[in-house]
Amino acid sequence: MRYVEGDDAARPPYLVESAENALRILLWLRNSPRLRVTEVSDRLGVARSTAHRLLSTLTYLGFLRHDPIKRVYLPGEVLVEIALASTDHQELRRASMPHIERLANAQGWTVHLSVLEGTDIRFIDGCESPRPVRVSVRIGSRSPAHSTSSGKVLLAALPPHHLATLYPEDPPKVTEHTIADLGELEQQLEEVRRLGYATNLGENEVGLHAASVPIHHDGRIVAAIAAARPTMVEAPSDFSEIVDQLRATAATIEGQLERQADDGARR
């Protein structure tokens, strides 16, 4: 049974009030990506001190994170990890992470693993660069596919008619460098298919550049692996070196996925 706010008929008689209130706070994140102490206090009908203790406890356990400047509470890493663990990406993440970590540490780029969700990509795992100035990992978050290197790789794998369905109008601008014309996007995706990789030069975030290659499994592209750096670190004249490393890592991940599938079939 799916919980619906205000469904008193479905309320069990043995609820623990503090646990119920904590879980209600997490459920509210479905519709509101940020919560304030006053809002939680009002919605639960409790004192602000009680609301603060609940939020602090959830923050301590990793379900929330606190932004002290904006004075809001946001989804935490543990909540994101639980959400991702409940999806069908577990095998993909398990096959990928050791190799993603190795690439990030060896090359000094932040590396992400992404899948396509409609016109967005979802970062389902990643590893930060060990360098002091680096791109942060964004596990669990989404970005417009047409403005990212991973998104272009994944969009390029779609049949042309599917692309037109996803974009009945021109895609929106994210930065001044974003492709916001469907015809131009289709031309770039054709180039991605020809080259086998995609780049992003400030199209999703000014000051960031990235390259991405596909990961294949069962005869189709199931994900993309991308490496990103701030442009202040080094803006390469070409991406050939990191693309070669990404391709080698993708091939290793593909081999691991095959082994996992074979092991599963034998069980």
Side-chain angles (χ1 to χ4, degrees):
M1 178 184 296
R2 186 174 185 271
Y3 170 79
V4 178
E5 185 83 29
D7 189 359
D8 293 332
R11 178 186 173 90
Y14 46 79
L15 281 179
V16 178
E17 186 176 5
S18 58
E20 178 189 7
N21 285 341
L23 292 172
R24 282 179 183 271
I25 291 170
L26 297 180
L27 286 168
W28 291 336
L29 292 171
R30 290 183 301 187
N31 302 314
S32 176
R34 50 182 57 83
L35 297 169
R36 298 181 182 274
V37 173
T38 52
E39 177 188 0
V40 171
S41 172
D42 292 343
R43 293 180 71 173
L44 289 178
V46 299
R48 287 188 62 182
S49 58
T50 301
H52 185 266
R53 284 196 298 272
L54 286 164
L55 291 165
S56 296
T57 300
L58 290 170
T59 301
Y60 170 72
L61 294 172
F63 289 94
L64 299 177
R65 58 186 176 89
H66 183 226
D67 184 332
I69 297 175
K70 297 181 179 179
R71 298 182 179 180
V72 295
Y73 290 83
L74 307 161
E77 289 185 7
V78 170
L79 196 61
V80 172
E81 285 292 322
I82 291 173
L84 289 173
S86 66
T87 69
D88 59 357
H89 303 311
Q90 293 181 31
E91 293 300 309
L92 176 60
R93 296 173 66 218
R94 184 160 65 91
S96 303
M97 271 316 294
H99 312 295
I100 284 176
E101 290 172 354
R102 191 176 300 115
L103 177 62
N105 289 322
Q107 298 299 316
W109 296 63
T110 291
V111 182
H112 276 109
L113 180 70
S114 305
V115 295
L116 189 65
E117 294 184 358
T119 57
D120 289 343
I121 59 164
R122 173 86 65 181
F123 299 102
I124 64 170
D125 227 325
C127 181
E128 280 191 3
S129 161
R131 296 188 178 191
V133 179
R134 59 183 179 267
V135 175
S136 61
V137 290
R138 299 165 185 187
I139 301 169
S141 65
R142 295 168 62 145
S143 285
H146 70 287
S147 67
T148 64
S149 59
S150 290
K152 293 176 195 175
V153 163
L154 296 169
L155 289 173
L158 300 176
H161 69 274
H162 195 164
L163 189 70
T165 302
L166 285 176
Y167 297 99
E169 300 177 351
D170 287 337
K173 266 197 175 295
V174 181
T175 75
E176 59 183 317
H177 306 296
T178 310
I179 295 175
D181 177 85
L182 184 57
E184 189 178 345
L185 177 61
E186 288 173 335
Q187 290 177 10
Q188 187 163 111
L189 295 182
E190 183 58 39
E191 183 75 354
V192 171
R193 294 185 196 100
R194 185 181 70 81
L195 296 174
Y197 71 91
T199 60
N200 161 22
L201 296 171
E203 297 164 60
N204 187 62
E205 184 177 326
V206 174
L208 178 152
H209 61 251
S212 180
V213 302
I215 295 174
H216 299 80
H217 183 56
D218 284 340
R220 61 190 181 92
I221 293 174
V222 296
I225 179 173
R229 268 188 185 174
T231 52
M232 68 182 69
V233 174
E234 180 185 357
S237 56
D238 69 80
F239 287 84
S240 58
E241 181 179 350
I242 192 63
V243 166
D244 286 345
Q245 296 296 324
L246 285 167
R247 282 175 168 156
T249 302
T252 302
I253 293 170
E254 290 165 359
Q256 182 63 36
L257 286 170
E258 290 297 325
R259 286 189 291 274
Q260 288 178 185
D262 290 343
D263 290 344
R266 285 195 292 267
R267 289 195 187 109

